[in-house]
Amino acid sequence: MSLQPSPLPEPHATDQNSIYEHQGQSMWKRTISQLIKRKTSLIGFSIILFIVVTALLAPVIATHNPTAQSITDRYLAPSSEHYLGTDELGRDIFSRIVYGTRISIQIALISVGISLVIGVILGCLAGYFGRWIDQVIMRVIDVMMAFPSILLAIALVAVLGPGLKNAMIAVGIVGIPQFARIVRSIVMSVKETEYIEAARAIGAKHGRILFQHVLPNSLAPIIVQATLGMGTAILDAAGLSFLGLGAQPPTPEWGAMLSDGRAALQTAPWVVAFPGLAIFLFVLGFNLFGDGLRDAIDPRLKE
């Protein structure tokens, strides 16, 4: 009677999924731990949290109606009645900035959402299938990146028409190339790994491979790019509003407030100083948090 070792059982799909899930949980735990250790990321997160809370509690925090006009109160300096002064129509600047946080968050989320969805789809198609699909998509992306982002956004708004909704669409389209190029590079490297080859060998369809195996391993850089893209979206939208192509009066959008107050820059500097400071803090918060998130996710970067 010959004794032969029994073959080891092959891992089931459920076992592999549990391994991937455990690895994903470990990565996010490590990411959160690294974020907590970085002061800059905590500062950025605190700024973002402050802006979100301000937007949610805008009716409680605001001291005046943001669109109410009072000609007798034009260009009042900051005081106990008007914390940040008033503008050329006597509107309370503090209340307009507080309500402007809602518009800025809306701009950031919708614009980046458009960029993310379309960019991820194009990047997946180009990176996974390659060949002529990759050539066509990437040549279009190259053409879009040949133009400065603000000029391309102005051209798109000129076609679509001025307004906050069209400005968000234009800013979203301008941000597509960054997501497409990042996702394409990741997909091209991930699709050559052993577990993707194994999925193809058992007859998995392209859609299942992309959505169950490739995209989950591409989430980290996509999230980082989305976080950094929030600040860029606000700057582009503010630039369009400053030129009169974005939010229209009396919408309390920070870029439009800068445009309305530039005529009184020397006589009433608070009219442009405080909206500009709001834009600065918003962009700074997302940039600091995005940089910290990128460093925390990248395993090559250690303390």
Side-chain angles (χ1 to χ4, degrees), residues 119-138 141 179-192 196 200 206 209-210 214 218:
V120 167
I121 293 174
L122 294 179
C124 285
L125 293 176
Y128 185 80
F129 293 103
R131 298 184 181 180
W132 66 269
I133 297 179
D134 182 32
Q135 293 295 324
V136 172
I137 292 176
M138 295 314 297
I141 295 299
F179 284 94
R181 292 177 69 91
I182 290 174
V183 173
R184 172 181 176 268
S185 63
I186 298 171
V187 170
M188 290 180 67
S189 61
V190 171
K191 74 175 183 178
E192 302 298 334
I196 299 297
R200 291 198 189 99
H206 296 308
I209 294 175
L210 279 172
V214 176
S218 309

Side-chain angles (χ1 to χ4, degrees), residues 96 103-104 106-107 111 150 153-171 233-260 262:
R96 289 178 63 79
I103 298 175
S104 297
Q106 179 185 4
I107 292 172
S111 300
I150 188 63
I154 291 174
L156 291 172
V157 173
V159 174
L160 298 173
L164 182 60
K165 183 184 297 184
N166 291 337
M168 290 188 290
I169 295 174
V171 173
I234 288 298
L235 286 177
D236 290 343
L240 292 175
S241 296
F242 184 83
L243 297 174
L245 300 175
Q248 302 298 308
T251 306
E253 197 273 333
W254 297 338
M257 293 173 65
L258 286 175
S259 179
D260 294 340
R262 57 184 173 178

Side-chain angles (χ1 to χ4, degrees), residues 62-187:
T63 57
H64 296 75
N65 185 331
T67 59
Q69 302 179 12
S70 177
I71 301 301
T72 58
D73 294 333
R74 296 174 69 246
Y75 294 128
L76 293 180
S79 63
S80 58
E81 176 66 20
H82 300 280
Y83 298 151
L84 303 182
T86 60
D87 61 9
E88 74 281 0
L89 296 177
R91 297 172 295 191
D92 184 69
I93 296 177
F94 174 76
S95 300
R96 289 178 63 79
I97 290 178
V98 168
Y99 274 91
T101 57
R102 292 185 167 186
I103 298 175
S104 297
I105 292 175
Q106 179 185 4
I107 292 172
L109 292 177
I110 293 178
S111 300
V112 173
I114 293 173
S115 303
L116 188 149
V117 172
I118 300 178
V120 167
I121 293 174
L122 294 179
C124 285
L125 293 176
Y128 185 80
F129 293 103
R131 298 184 181 180
W132 66 269
I133 297 179
D134 182 32
Q135 293 295 324
V136 172
I137 292 176
M138 295 314 297
R139 295 299 77 76
V140 174
I141 295 299
D142 289 340
V143 171
M144 293 178 65
M145 296 190 70
F147 294 92
S149 60
I150 188 63
L151 292 182
L152 182 57
I154 291 174
L156 291 172
V157 173
V159 174
L160 298 173
L164 182 60
K165 183 184 297 184
N166 291 337
M168 290 188 290
I169 295 174
V171 173
I173 293 175
V174 168
I176 290 174
Q178 286 74 22
F179 284 94
R181 292 177 69 91
I182 290 174
V183 173
R184 172 181 176 268
S185 63
I186 298 171
V187 170

